[in-house]
Amino acid sequence: MSVFADATAVRRTGEGRYEVDVHPGYCIGAAPNGGYLMALLARAAVDVSPHAHPVATATNFLRVAKAGAPAEIVVEPRKEGRTAATSLVGLVQDGKRIVDALITTGTLEDGVDPDWVGDPPAVPLPPLEECTGARSPGDTGGFADHVDMRFDRTTMGWLDGNPSGRPELRAWFRLPDGEEPDAYVLALAVDALPPVSLNLGANGWAPTVELTWHMRAVPAPGWLSLHGSGRLLTGGWFDEEVEVWDSAGRLVAQSRQLARVPKGGFR
């Protein structure tokens, strides 16, 4: 079993109830990454479902999870059908709901070619060898040591105090131990980029309030490419959208989140 698979393992303790350990290695600062927590919830949702993939996940982050501590996942089925099943899935620590997600599962066929309206969109990411590794503000060796990310240098001016003024970030992504991407790796990938608000001059990490993501296809082996963008920062809130493309050039996941401007304010 890989490091990530082991870190997101769920142990069934009863009907719709699972015991998990929140791994400290997937933290940004002291807070577990939201994508990592969504992967935990997705494993439990799929375990109770007749379907193989978490095709739609709407997540509310209510409190900061405690890393290195046990937690319970509670799955409450809402509907089960031939093509889809839906459950309300919650992460609980110390008797409090930490994360709630409405997860719809389905079964996606492998290797299906997409049908686009018009020409397929271009993927504006430089070759891997032209990109650079980087750690994000607040990284203390946790999350950055458990993923391999190579960033498009043109979107990383904020690292040198020269934010581009455009809310966008792009990077290649994979797990460092060679684990190939699957549904749970996609859950991690959609929340792996630093916040796009950094390129608008925001300073520090940004807590996600709500994140919805869709799994669009079973990913091919190899690197994933991540494309993050935003449209509006106002009143202390900003939006962020991420597309995840696989090595075969297929769009395999999409996400949209609402987040708070970092507590560090602006440069």
Side-chain angles (χ1 to χ4, degrees):
M1 183 177 287
S2 73
V3 173
F4 179 70
D6 185 63
T8 55
V10 299
R11 301 175 294 277
R12 189 167 185 167
T13 60
E15 185 174 356
R17 306 187 85 88
Y18 296 83
E19 181 183 66
V20 298
D21 297 311
V22 180
H23 197 289
Y26 294 87
C27 288
I28 308 295
N33 170 262
Y36 165 73
L37 297 177
M38 291 191 300
L40 285 173
L41 300 181
R43 284 198 187 276
V46 168
D47 189 69
V48 304
S49 172
H51 306 294
H53 303 113
V55 296
T57 301
T59 312
N60 285 280
F61 296 92
L62 309 175
R63 297 175 176 84
V64 177
K66 294 179 181 178
E72 183 180 38
I73 294 177
V74 180
V75 183
E76 303 171 34
R78 291 293 187 261
K79 178 185 176 182
E80 183 177 310
R82 288 182 298 175
T83 59
T86 301
S87 294
L88 179 63
V89 188
L91 181 73
V92 181
Q93 277 185 322
D94 299 329
K96 297 178 180 179
R97 299 286 278 215
I98 306 299
V99 182
D100 270 340
L102 193 65
I103 301 179
T104 298
T105 54
T107 299
L108 301 175
E109 295 182 34
D110 197 0
V112 175
D113 291 327
D115 292 321
W116 293 97
V117 177
D119 295 330
V123 182
L125 185 61
L128 186 64
E129 60 272 14
E130 296 179 14
C131 295
T132 184
R135 290 182 181 269
S136 302
D139 279 352
T140 57
F143 188 80
D145 283 346
H146 286 81
V147 298
D148 187 354
M149 297 183 71
R150 314 292 176 84
F151 292 88
D152 180 348
R153 297 169 186 170
T154 66
T155 68
M156 297 298 283
W158 54 271
L159 272 180
D160 300 320
N162 296 302
S164 67
R166 299 184 302 275
E168 59 183 11
L169 286 164
R170 294 184 290 271
W172 295 99
F173 174 95
R174 70 175 180 181
L175 296 184
D177 59 3
E179 180 180 1
E180 296 296 356
D182 60 10
Y184 311 107
V185 175
L186 293 181
L188 182 70
V190 296
D191 197 36
L193 287 170
V196 296
S197 60
L198 293 171
N199 266 329
L200 297 177
N203 186 23
W205 208 254
T208 300
V209 176
E210 193 275 345
L211 189 153
T212 294
W213 78 278
H214 298 152
M215 181 178 178
R216 303 307 309 274
V218 177
W223 286 85
L224 300 171
S225 60
L226 312 183
H227 308 266
S229 62
R231 298 191 65 187
L232 181 66
L233 187 158
T234 182
W237 301 84
F238 71 95
D239 61 88
E240 179 172 318
E241 296 183 355
V242 174
E243 292 184 349
V244 182
W245 297 74
D246 71 1
S247 61
R250 297 178 304 152
L251 180 64
V252 291
Q254 299 165 286
S255 72
R256 183 177 179 85
Q257 67 171 280
L258 184 67
R260 291 290 293 165
V261 172
K263 293 182 178 180
F266 292 84
R267 291 185 177 90

